[in-house]
Amino acid sequence: MRPQRLVDAVLFDTFGTAVDWRTGVAQAVSQFTSEVDPNEFALAWRGRYQPSMAPIRAGEREFVDLDVLHRENLEATAAEFGLDLGNSDPSDVDHLNRAWHRLSAWPDSTPGLTELKREFIVGPLSNGHTALLTNMAKHAGLPWDVIIGSDFTRTYKPDPNAYLRTAEVLRLPPHRVMLCAAHNADLAAAKDVGFRTAFIPRPTEYGPAQREDLHATGVWDVLARDVVDLATQLREHASA
Amino acid sequence: MRPQRLVDAVLFDTFGTAVDWRTGVAQAVSQFTSEVDPNEFALAWRGRYQPSMAPIRAGEREFVDLDVLHRENLEATAAEFGLDLGNSDPSDVDHLNRAWHRLSAWPDSTPGLTELKREFIVGPLSNGHTALLTNMAKHAGLPWDVIIGSDFTRTYKPDPNAYLRTAEVLRLPPHRVMLCAAHNADLAAAKDVGFRTAFIPRPTEYGPAQREDLHATGVWDVLARDVVDLATQLREHASA
């Protein structure tokens, strides 16, 4: 008889959990201009991310994808840093904005996903839209089985519908789906709607000064060192 | 400089083109009952497929997924064959209905897709919904980069929106997307909205008596023997 699996699908937060956005975005910034500190600019750009989604989660703004929000946030960040985007070739600005499509995986992500894929459906559960996540997967070598972008669920985490609609698209009950994330708040929202949860730390996501999400702060089903360790623990669960 | 690629994404019809539905469904029928000829039953069940989507394409019925249509068609086919589904365990009937999730790939599909994946986004462009196509990919070993099911586009091929919405989800103009299919009518509809097209023959899809789609009957961009040959031809185009 087939060993009992804890879940049928293991889905991942992407920005920060599967890929290292800070290094990738800072590199794109440094290629675009020498007028700003690339790391500081990347952190400030990302800093506008959560606030920019709030009106959409609240139903005050119609859904727009992350290319739109990243572009608005890029323009605001450039203004904050005194960088005049109007001096640049529009296609270079667009290329910079799409840095979020070209991020690299943390070293354990692809080996861990490759292992998990043998037993589970693996996919992102991200605020990225399908095109962004597809380009990211091609660039980073993330071997997802399926990509259900925010343009399908039409909302942003941690809105409960972001999780519930994803499970519904997979035709799985929430308790048969696990979210793996490096962010306790994301896991808390997933757990609230009945998902299984796995925390992995990404202590340098925001750089050496990172203070949040260094450790699990909730009761999650699995605490893993990284994606490879998650695969090992889920395999041991199945054979226990 | 990177060689010029003909397109950015190569998408595939699934039932008949990527997977062999007839053999897989007949096998599931034979496991379910010995009262009917499995091959004849599979052909009759599939025969109800196109008519069952027509009211949805025409806007006369709200979108329902293929699990629903396959189930309605299974019940009609069983009645036609004098098979009383009420005598069976409901979970066995459900398992039979989901035979369409458990089809096997034609021998060239996975090797060809693996090769195409190095240069192109590969995915299905199928009337299947995301969950069905995900299960099919896991079962058949189809290494899709992305799955955009009919539950995302909310319509069925050959409705032009089935193709156009898929390209839009990928944020690609239609002429940067190729459809590969073993069905001339599918390719004609894709071409009409600006897709590139590739025909591969699957002369035994409907069995030895197959009369349609034995050859290309339109002017398609590529005529290939199979998916491996398609990958070879597209690579040669890029290096030409």
Side-chain angles (χ1 to χ4, degrees):
Chain A
M1 194 181 146
R2 191 183 185 79
Q4 179 84 30
R5 293 183 303 185
L6 188 60
V7 291
D8 297 307
V10 183
L11 306 184
F12 288 78
D13 173 61
T14 57
F15 300 112
T17 302
V19 299
D20 170 11
W21 56 265
R22 183 174 57 88
T23 305
V25 171
Q27 185 176 37
V29 170
S30 73
Q31 287 164 353
F32 178 79
T33 182
S34 56
E35 291 178 44
V36 301
D37 180 278
N39 192 60
E40 290 302 315
F41 193 94
L43 288 168
W45 192 1
R46 179 70 174 181
R48 294 177 181 273
Y49 174 69
Q50 289 295 342
S52 70
M53 291 181 289
I56 294 170
R57 288 189 199 110
E60 296 160 12
R61 182 180 183 182
E62 198 167 348
F63 179 83
V64 294
D65 70 30
L66 285 193
D67 285 347
V68 174
L69 295 180
H70 281 147
R71 180 58 184 255
E72 293 172 2
N73 296 340
L74 171 59
E75 289 175 11
T77 307
E80 179 190 337
F81 280 69
L83 184 68
D84 187 352
L85 295 177
N87 290 340
S88 300
D89 187 320
S91 73
D92 289 342
V93 180
D94 186 57
H95 186 72
L96 172 60
N97 194 52
R98 289 162 58 92
W100 302 90
H101 295 227
R102 300 187 306 272
L103 305 172
S104 295
W106 298 108
D108 53 284
S109 296
T110 299
L113 292 174
T114 302
E115 182 63 26
L116 283 167
K117 214 174 139 81
R118 296 169 57 185
E119 282 294 319
F120 304 97
I121 294 168
V122 295
L125 203 175
S126 166
N127 286 331
H129 47 294
T130 305
L132 179 152
L133 294 171
T134 303
N135 294 337
M136 178 198 286
K138 296 295 272 186
H139 183 273
L142 300 171
W144 305 127
D145 288 312
V146 61
I147 292 174
I148 299 164
S150 58
D151 49 339
F152 197 168
T153 62
R154 308 289 291 178
T155 189
Y156 285 120
K157 297 189 296 180
D159 181 331
N161 284 322
Y163 310 92
L164 290 172
R165 288 178 190 158
T166 301
E168 166 60 22
V169 169
L170 293 173
R171 304 288 189 261
L172 293 173
H175 71 274
R176 298 300 300 169
V177 184
M178 174 175 280
L179 177 69
C180 173
H183 309 127
N184 287 284
D186 195 5
L187 295 176
K191 183 178 178 178
D192 277 350
V193 298
F195 274 46
R196 298 285 196 155
T197 51
F199 178 83
I200 58 174
R202 296 299 192 193
T204 63
E205 176 186 357
Y206 286 88
Q210 181 168 328
R211 290 288 171 272
E212 293 201 355
D213 289 324
L214 296 175
H215 307 286
T217 59
V219 180
W220 316 129
D221 293 294
V222 180
L223 303 181
R225 282 192 308 279
D226 58 24
V227 184
V228 172
D229 184 39
L230 174 64
T232 304
Q233 291 194 41
L234 292 181
R235 192 172 53 238
E236 284 168 359
H237 174 93
S239 57
Chain B
M1 194 180 148
R2 191 182 185 80
Q4 179 84 30
R5 291 183 304 184
L6 187 61
V7 290
D8 297 307
V10 183
L11 306 184
F12 288 78
D13 172 61
T14 56
F15 300 113
T17 301
V19 299
D20 170 11
W21 56 266
R22 182 174 56 87
T23 305
V25 171
Q27 185 176 37
V29 170
S30 73
Q31 287 163 353
F32 178 79
T33 181
S34 56
E35 290 178 45
V36 301
D37 180 280
N39 192 61
E40 291 303 315
F41 193 94
L43 288 169
W45 192 2
R46 179 69 174 181
R48 294 177 181 273
Y49 174 70
Q50 289 295 342
S52 71
M53 292 180 289
I56 293 169
R57 287 189 200 110
E60 296 160 12
R61 182 180 183 182
E62 199 168 347
F63 179 83
V64 294
D65 70 30
L66 286 193
D67 285 348
V68 173
L69 295 180
H70 280 147
R71 180 58 183 255
E72 292 172 1
N73 296 341
L74 170 59
E75 289 175 11
T77 307
E80 180 190 337
F81 280 69
L83 183 67
D84 187 351
L85 296 176
N87 290 341
S88 299
D89 187 320
S91 73
D92 289 343
V93 179
D94 186 57
H95 186 73
L96 172 60
N97 195 52
R98 288 163 58 92
W100 301 90
H101 294 226
R102 298 187 307 271
L103 304 172
S104 295
W106 297 108
D108 54 284
S109 295
T110 299
L113 291 174
T114 301
E115 182 63 27
L116 283 167
K117 214 175 140 82
R118 296 169 56 184
E119 282 294 319
F120 305 97
I121 295 168
V122 295
L125 205 177
S126 165
N127 286 330
H129 48 295
T130 305
L132 179 152
L133 293 171
T134 303
N135 293 338
M136 179 199 284
K138 296 295 272 186
H139 184 272
L142 300 171
W144 305 127
D145 289 311
V146 60
I147 292 174
I148 299 164
S150 59
D151 48 341
F152 197 169
T153 62
R154 308 289 291 179
T155 188
Y156 284 119
K157 298 188 296 179
D159 180 331
N161 284 321
Y163 310 93
L164 290 171
R165 289 179 189 158
T166 301
E168 166 61 21
V169 169
L170 293 173
R171 304 288 189 262
L172 293 173
H175 72 273
R176 298 299 300 168
V177 184
M178 173 175 280
L179 177 69
C180 173
H183 309 127
N184 287 284
D186 195 5
L187 294 176
K191 184 179 178 178
D192 277 350
V193 297
F195 273 45
R196 299 284 194 155
T197 51
F199 178 82
I200 58 174
R202 296 299 192 192
T204 62
E205 176 186 357
Y206 287 88
Q210 182 167 328
R211 290 287 170 272
E212 292 201 358
D213 289 323
L214 297 175
H215 307 286
T217 58
V219 180
W220 316 129
D221 293 294
V222 180
L223 303 180
R225 282 192 307 280
D226 56 25
V227 185
V228 172
D229 184 39
L230 174 63
T232 303
Q233 291 194 41
L234 291 181
R235 191 173 52 237
E236 284 167 359
H237 174 91
S239 57

